[in-house]
Amino acid sequence: SAVISQKPSRDICQRGTSLTIQCQVDSQVTMMFWYRQQPGQSLTLIATANQGSEATYESGFVIDKFPISRPNLTFSTLTVSNMSPEDSSIYLCSVDRQHTYGYTFGSGTRLTVV
Amino acid sequence: AQTVTQSQPEMSVQEAETVTLSCTYDTSESDYYLFWYKQPPSRQMILVIRQEAYKQQNATENRFSVNFQKAAKSFSLKISDSQLGDAAMYFCAYRSVYLAGGTSYGKLTFGQGTILTVHP
C-alpha cells in the first residue's frame, strides 16, 4: 500500500492566520482526498484533488476557505485560511490506490486555533 | 446520498474475549464497498477489513471478521481473542463503485465511530 508523509503533525495557530498542510505520497496516485475530523467526531470529506484540475469540494466547504493544490501525482496541499477556533480539528489526507480499492491515510495534522 | 450509522458510541470487552461492533448503512446502489477502520490515539487511520458487496462470503482477516447482510444493509465487525492493542475508535465506511454525476468518485462516507475499550 502507499506510504503518505503528512506535515505538520500538529500546530497551534492564531486566529486570522492560515496554515498549509502537505501530503507527499511515495507513488503516483490519481486522486487524493482531504478529510476533517472535529474533536470526538467522525471524518468528513472536504474535497477531492485530481492532478491538473480544480479540486471538487463537498457541500459546506469552499475553495476560498480551503484552497487545495495538486501540482503532480504524488503531492498535494490543503490550506486552512483565515482560521477561527471552529477550525480546530484533525485534518487527514488519503489516497485510493487504483484497482485495489484500499485507502491509505496520512498520519493527520492536529490543528488548534487560539 | 449514502449514510452510515454506528449505533454504539462505546463498547468494552475483556482481553481474550469476543466483541461485535455494529454498522448499518443506507444506499440505493447494488454494488459498493464497505470498510472497517481503526483509529488509535495516534490518529493514524488503519484499514482493518473490507468487503465487496457483490461477494456473499464474509471477509476475514486473522482475528477480525465481518457479518455482511446485504438485504438488511448491515455490516458488523467481530473481533475475536481481543487484545489490549485493539483499543481504539472504530469507523465503518462506505464507498460507491461507480462514478455518479456531480459526486466525488471514490470518497468514503464514515459512520460516527465506536470507541472500543479492552480491559486486561
Side-chain angles (χ1 to χ4, degrees), chain B residues 14-66:
Chain B
Q14 291 293 131
E15 196 174 6
E17 296 295 310
T18 296
V19 64
T20 298
L21 308 183
S22 300
C23 173
T24 59
Y25 57 94
D26 187 27
T27 184
S28 58
E29 299 174 339
S30 60
D31 206 5
Y32 46 86
Y33 296 88
L34 295 166
F35 303 86
W36 278 99
Y37 277 89
K38 168 185 177 181
Q39 187 182 41
S42 66
R43 306 192 302 268
Q44 182 70 54
M45 292 288 286
I46 302 167
L47 176 64
V48 175
I49 199 166
R50 69 181 179 96
Q51 174 81 42
E52 293 91 337
Y54 67 87
K55 289 186 178 179
Q56 294 185 340
Q57 185 174 6
N58 290 324
T60 300
E61 289 287 342
N62 300 314
R63 297 183 295 108
F64 299 88
S65 62
V66 299

Side-chain angles (χ1 to χ4, degrees), chain A residues 3-37:
Chain A
V3 175
I4 304 176
S5 173
Q6 183 172 344
K7 297 178 181 178
S9 60
R10 60 178 63 225
D11 207 341
I12 301 173
C13 301
Q14 297 291 322
R15 67 176 66 201
T17 63
S18 297
L19 175 71
T20 296
I21 302 167
Q22 300 180 0
C23 271
Q24 177 75 53
V25 189
D26 67 343
S27 57
Q28 294 182 344
V29 293
T30 303
M31 292 182 289
M32 294 182 73
F33 305 87
W34 287 97
Y35 289 86
R36 182 177 73 181
Q37 185 178 21

